[in-house]
Amino acid sequence: MCGKTNRIVCGRKCVASGDYRTIEEIGDILFASIAPLGRCYLIQSEPTDWDINESVFSIRANTDIITPAFLYLYFMSDAFIKHATSSSTGSIFKGIRINTLLETELCVPPLSVILKFEERLASIFPLKSKNYEEIQRLSNLRDWLLPMLMNGQATIED
């Protein structure tokens, strides 16, 4: 799955591979390479008609070694974000390069331990996705209502 490049390693084992433009699948992680660093998204439903920007990397976990959810949580950790920030370059927009990201070394517990860990967290990812969708709906409602409130087209009764 992984060659000498485009990999995140644990010891000598390739944990994940990545690219700028792969076909996204369930379990892939989309990673924003420019500030704010560490913003990423775990694909949990079948993507259709997706286009990703060149500043977004698509990362696929090597599921023989690590799960996508565990790798996603690693990317969201304070330790990784500090590492990514210290490895970032650029004068106008600070960012991390795909090779720097994929040459990151991390310590990975045995897959059996990861799977037990994920059992404990099984309800969190759907809840996070549901909360995100609700935030989007509420933001859209706010964006629709606010102009009407501002110009008097709508009022709030006590």
Side-chain angles (χ1 to χ4, degrees):
M1 175 178 187
C2 301
K4 291 258 185 206
T5 59
N6 293 346
R7 72 224 195 304
I8 297 175
V9 297
C10 171
R12 294 183 178 188
K13 295 181 180 178
C14 175
V15 173
S17 62
D19 202 341
Y20 290 104
R21 300 281 179 187
T22 59
I23 305 297
E24 293 80 30
E25 329 179 322
I26 294 173
D28 284 357
I29 300 165
L30 302 180
F31 182 91
S33 66
I34 57 173
L37 285 174
R39 193 172 278 184
C40 56
Y41 179 77
L42 176 63
I43 298 176
Q44 298 176 55
S45 59
E46 192 65 41
T48 56
D49 299 325
W50 285 30
D51 261 340
I52 59 173
N53 184 294
E54 66 262 1
S55 65
V56 176
F57 306 143
S58 179
I59 300 168
R60 185 163 299 148
N62 178 347
T63 55
D64 293 335
I65 299 170
I66 194 169
T67 64
F70 191 86
L71 187 59
Y72 167 77
L73 290 172
Y74 170 72
F75 286 142
M76 297 294 289
S77 72
D78 289 339
F80 175 77
I81 292 171
K82 285 178 186 174
H83 166 72
T85 302
S86 69
S87 301
S88 64
T89 59
S91 56
I92 297 174
F93 294 110
K94 292 282 188 185
I96 190 168
R97 301 195 186 288
I98 186 80
N99 289 338
T100 304
L101 175 68
L102 293 173
E103 289 169 1
T104 300
E105 291 193 19
L106 66 142
C107 195
V108 178
L111 189 57
S112 60
V113 173
I114 293 173
L115 294 173
K116 286 180 185 177
F117 173 74
E118 282 191 23
E119 282 178 27
R120 302 277 179 143
L121 299 178
S123 63
I124 290 178
F125 289 109
L127 181 60
K128 183 178 179 191
S129 181
K130 181 181 172 190
N131 286 345
Y132 178 78
E133 289 172 9
E134 185 172 352
I135 288 168
Q136 290 300 112
R137 280 194 303 274
L138 290 171
S139 294
N140 290 339
L141 181 60
R142 178 207 56 212
D143 294 346
W144 178 71
L145 279 175
L146 190 58
M148 294 192 325
L149 289 167
M150 299 286 286
N151 69 22
Q153 287 180 301
T155 58
I156 298 174
E157 294 182 20
D158 291 329

